[in-house]
Amino acid sequence: MFPTSRRGFLKFLIVLIAFQDVAAGVAGSIMADLIVAFPEFSPTTVMLIATMPGLLQIFPSLFYGKLANKFSKRGLLMTGLILFLIGGIMPFFLSNLFAIIVFRGILGLGVGITLPLSIDIITGFFEGRERDFLIGFGTSTIACVGAIFFQVVGGMLADAYGWNYGFLVYLFPIWILAITFLFLPEPKKQEVPNASIKDVLFKAPKTVYGFTVGQIIFSAFVFGYVTNISIIIQTEGLGNATEAGLAISLFTTGTLLTGFFFGKLRSILPNLIVPLGVLLTATGILWCSTVGSLTMIFVASVLGGMGLGIVLPGVLARVSELSNIAKGISFVGIAAAGQGLGGIVSPYMFAAILSVFGLEGGRSTLLVASIGLFILAIVWGIIAARKSPLTINDSEGQTEVA
């Protein structure tokens, strides 16, 4: 165990790693500026700048167990943060859209390493209540604070100097790279069993895939908000990129608020907690699509984010309960993949729907997103209401939560 005299400093170093775990959302606050900067491309293609990190972060997360057994934690930390910095900063120097998208994918690879690494390092140094507190504080509170910082500061830089300057906000984690690499000790190496991809994909209970499909649909509709709120605020003269970043940040703040009460809510509504979260997000996004003032958009964004703060941990909690850690089988990566896939298909899904009904982006996208989420909440709620809250152990030793 780490010396008590330095445990506070160690905790500080560990939670720093989570600061950039959801920082890829900065592109949402400057999306209107990006669409103007690349008029030769459709908005659907430009929106890949916002969605590509979520897709690429899936792959290192799925293989993290193998990476952790082969490389040191400090080596993985340095690799993840360097990929994050390179992928984040390089768009400042580029004017080619597809090159920017490629580097945004590199940023996602970095997050795909540091996100599970932060949890792994915590479990390597702490246990019991200290461990649980640091996991929640780091992956929820600090990650959300980081997201708010990147979204707001990125928008302010874009307003002051131009869209490409918004990406300079990614210079900030340089000091995190330096201080954690210099002072964070290497945890004791622990060999853990590694299940094959075949074991993970083909032995997953149907409940895992049900939740993953729901996650894909939910994420696809939520990204409609992320990629269009900036367009609404700026094109309608309600504000600039700074205010757009603030709206997305308040969405993140709503996520943070319900994160504090998620455990209690889940104990009260074990089966219906996820549909309830979907319903809250649908209500918030519908509200955003109808109000005409920036203040009300801010309020509606908080409500929508509160739903997100229920759905994401709700899905991951159910999926993790179905995993068999003793055999090295974790299905969390499948659910995480669903979130990334939802983000990447979102622009194309909305483009097809809007084209069919002869609608344009902006508020119409938010309206479609809210309708889709209301339908998802109803369907998910009906299915969940028919399930028993009892926990059943299957023959494989996995825990099937009905």
Side-chain angles (χ1 to χ4, degrees):
M1 191 63 66
F2 204 73
T4 303
S5 60
R6 297 186 62 192
R7 288 174 71 81
F9 183 60
L10 176 61
K11 293 176 183 178
F12 169 73
L13 293 177
I14 289 174
V15 297
L16 274 182
I17 300 172
F19 189 81
Q20 79 292 328
D21 280 351
V22 288
V26 66
S29 62
I30 59 174
M31 184 54 62
D33 296 328
L34 290 169
I35 290 174
V36 172
F38 297 100
E40 66 273 27
F41 296 98
S42 70
T44 300
T45 303
V46 177
M47 288 176 186
L48 289 173
I49 296 175
T51 58
M52 186 58 69
L55 178 66
L56 269 292
Q57 79 179 58
I58 295 169
F59 300 103
S61 295
L62 286 175
F63 294 99
Y64 176 77
K66 296 183 182 295
L67 294 173
N69 278 340
K70 189 172 183 179
F71 301 102
S72 70
K73 301 294 191 297
R74 286 165 60 86
L76 288 174
L77 173 61
M78 184 176 68
T79 301
L81 288 176
I82 288 177
L83 288 173
F84 180 89
L85 288 168
I86 293 174
I89 296 169
M90 280 302 296
F92 169 76
F93 302 99
L94 302 172
S95 58
N96 182 283
L97 177 64
F98 293 104
I100 291 174
I101 292 172
V102 167
F103 278 101
R104 294 285 291 172
I106 291 174
L107 180 145
L109 291 176
V111 173
I113 294 174
T114 60
L115 197 155
L117 176 64
S118 61
I119 298 175
D120 195 12
I121 291 178
I122 289 172
T123 58
F125 284 114
F126 299 95
E127 56 188 25
R129 290 186 177 182
E130 274 189 308
R131 178 196 60 203
D132 294 340
F133 169 77
L134 287 172
I135 289 176
F137 185 71
T139 59
S140 177
T141 305
I142 298 300
C144 286
V145 170
I148 292 169
F149 170 83
F150 283 100
Q151 291 156 1
V152 173
V153 176
M156 292 173 65
L157 289 172
D159 281 333
Y161 305 107
W163 66 265
N164 55 321
Y165 282 84
F167 292 101
L168 286 183
V169 72
Y170 290 109
L171 285 169
F172 183 81
I174 288 178
W175 75 276
I176 298 178
L177 170 63
I179 194 172
T180 53
F181 190 72
L182 286 174
F183 299 106
L184 185 69
E186 178 71 23
K188 182 179 179 181
K189 191 173 182 65
Q190 296 178 335
E191 293 289 335
V192 295
N194 283 319
S196 67
I197 296 298
K198 181 180 178 180
D199 288 335
V200 174
L201 294 180
F202 294 101
K203 292 186 178 181
K206 62 182 180 180
T207 307
V208 170
Y209 285 106
F211 272 81
T212 300
V213 170
Q215 178 80 312
I216 293 172
I217 298 171
F218 177 76
S219 296
F221 284 124
V222 168
F223 265 94
Y225 165 88
V226 173
T227 55
N228 280 269
I229 196 65
S230 172
I231 297 172
I232 294 172
I233 290 174
Q234 293 186 255
T235 58
E236 295 184 8
L238 300 176
N240 51 27
T242 301
E243 280 83 9
L246 182 57
I248 299 175
S249 298
L250 288 170
F251 197 86
T252 306
T253 301
T255 302
L256 174 62
L257 291 175
T258 48
F260 287 113
F261 306 103
F262 172 74
K264 183 66 174 178
L265 290 172
R266 190 169 186 242
S267 67
I268 298 173
L269 298 168
N271 281 0
L272 296 176
I273 184 67
V274 173
L276 173 63
V278 176
L279 184 63
L280 283 176
T281 300
T283 303
I285 293 178
L286 176 63
W287 197 359
C288 283
S289 73
T290 59
V291 297
S293 73
L294 187 62
T295 300
M296 295 310 297
I297 286 179
F298 287 165
V299 174
S301 295
V302 173
L303 180 63
M306 290 175 68
L308 182 66
I310 293 174
V311 175
L312 294 186
V315 170
L316 294 178
R318 279 295 179 95
V319 171
S320 66
E321 288 170 343
L322 296 166
S323 300
N324 190 336
I325 303 302
K327 294 183 179 181
I329 298 176
S330 174
F331 303 119
V332 174
I334 298 177
Q339 183 178 351
L341 288 173
I344 205 72
V345 305
S346 177
Y348 301 98
M349 178 191 73
F350 280 110
I353 294 174
L354 295 177
S355 176
V356 168
F357 292 98
L359 302 172
E360 296 183 356
R363 290 187 183 272
S364 295
T365 300
L366 265 61
L367 178 61
V368 170
S370 64
I371 293 173
L373 288 171
F374 276 120
I375 294 173
L376 177 63
I378 293 170
V379 173
W380 208 328
I382 292 173
I383 295 174
R386 297 171 59 186
K387 299 289 185 180
S388 167
L390 297 178
T391 300
I392 305 168
N393 292 324
D394 66 14
S395 59
E396 290 285 325
Q398 297 165 345
T399 300
E400 174 75 40
V401 179

